[in-house]
Amino acid sequence: GEDVEQSLFLSVREGDSSVINCTYTDSSSTYLYWYKQEPGAGLQLLTYIFSNMDMKQDQRLTVLLNKKDKHLSLRIADTQTGDSAIYFCAEFVESGANNLFFGTGTRLTVIP
Amino acid sequence: EAQVTQNPRYLITVTGKKLTVTCSQNMNHEYMSWYRQDPGLGLRQIYYSMNVEVTDKGDVPEGYKVSRKEKRNFPLILESPSPNQTSLYFCASSFGTSGRNEQFFGPGTRLTVL
């Protein structure tokens, strides 16, 4: 599969901004996703960005895409304790049906 | 409520004892898949199915089987489980394979093989 890399851990204080980074390898990816996994639960789609965009904002979430560097980031403004979770980035590559590749996940811990 | 369900949620078994993890979705999705999640490795796809009676291998299919006899169900079968299959398993489904189709995930099945 494709290589999608994330750092494993991030800690921030409540009220600060969190930035979770992701790098991917396939320049032909068409969509890039952020999923959130809360403890004991499955993955929920948070947001996604189409590859011809460089920024998408959705309330407290901002996704930035640098296609040249194959770098994706998720910024969470005013981070709350309820944001503590594992965040996965994933890239979608149009190459048959086995085409969604996940990163390792970043565990975000929000300190009250 | 639209959802993907998996059973059981937790399972402890012994090496070699065949087991099946069921997955069912009520959204009439064509595409279903199984992933395993391991620390530091993220999610890796085991098998996927594009429609009834159509299944194919993902990245880590060894030691697993699947079947898709009906659209809503996609069971994962471990004929002879081994300790390296201890993991957290997720089933997912979507309408199709286009990037616009959100994948919906089940709650996960935590499997321990002793």
Side-chain angles (χ1 to χ4, degrees):
Chain A
E2 308 300 331
D3 250 343
V4 182
E5 302 277 344
Q6 300 176 238
S7 50
L8 292 179
F9 302 99
L10 176 66
S11 291
V12 298
R13 293 212 172 272
E14 191 173 14
D16 288 350
S17 291
S18 311
V19 179
I20 303 171
N21 294 300
C22 171
T23 57
Y24 58 96
T25 55
D26 197 312
S27 55
S28 63
S29 53
T30 53
Y31 288 85
L32 293 131
Y33 302 88
W34 284 105
Y35 281 85
K36 178 182 181 183
Q37 183 184 28
E38 295 187 10
L43 278 71
Q44 275 186 295
L45 181 64
L46 263 187
T47 187
Y48 68 92
I49 188 166
F50 189 51
S51 58
N52 68 355
M53 299 167 64
D54 50 23
M55 185 180 99
K56 182 178 179 183
Q57 185 140 11
D58 184 0
Q59 299 182 332
R60 292 190 297 121
L61 306 179
T62 304
V63 179
L64 294 178
L65 174 61
N66 181 329
K67 208 172 175 188
K68 174 173 161 289
D69 294 340
K70 301 192 191 75
H71 182 267
L72 180 75
S73 68
L74 174 70
R75 179 176 180 269
I76 306 173
D78 186 24
T79 314
Q80 304 297 306
T81 53
D83 295 324
S84 291
I86 302 176
Y87 291 82
F88 290 92
C89 70
E91 64 166 338
F92 179 87
V93 179
E94 285 284 0
S95 62
N98 179 20
N99 50 18
L100 187 62
F101 299 97
F102 285 86
T104 51
T106 299
R107 183 180 293 276
L108 173 65
T109 302
V110 181
I111 304 160
Chain B
E1 184 193 347
Q3 59 183 350
V4 179
T5 55
Q6 295 178 225
N7 280 293
R9 294 289 314 277
Y10 302 90
L11 179 60
I12 300 174
T13 189
V14 295
T15 299
K17 187 176 179 184
K18 181 179 177 179
L19 66 94
T20 300
V21 184
T22 64
C23 172
S24 183
Q25 49 92 6
N26 61 2
M27 295 168 278
N28 203 34
H29 285 168
E30 290 188 349
Y31 183 87
M32 296 185 75
S33 62
W34 276 102
Y35 294 89
R36 61 178 287 174
Q37 181 184 0
D38 301 289
L41 295 175
L43 272 76
R44 294 177 294 168
Q45 193 178 54
I46 303 169
Y47 267 95
Y48 62 91
S49 168
M50 293 179 73
N51 213 325
V52 176
E53 302 291 4
V54 180
T55 64
D56 211 342
K57 295 177 181 177
D59 291 325
V60 289
E62 293 78 23
Y64 304 95
K65 279 173 56 178
V66 292
S67 70
R68 188 91 182 273
K69 294 188 170 59
E70 312 159 279
K71 202 170 188 180
R72 62 182 297 132
N73 296 323
F74 190 45
L76 179 70
I77 303 151
L78 284 72
E79 295 268 4
S80 183
S82 62
N84 65 12
Q85 293 179 297
T86 292
S87 188
L88 179 56
Y89 291 87
F90 289 102
C91 179
S93 72
S94 63
F95 276 111
T97 57
S98 151
R100 267 180 289 241
N101 290 302
E102 177 185 350
Q103 285 212 31
F104 292 83
F105 283 80
T109 295
R110 187 166 290 281
L111 172 66
T112 302
V113 183
L114 302 174

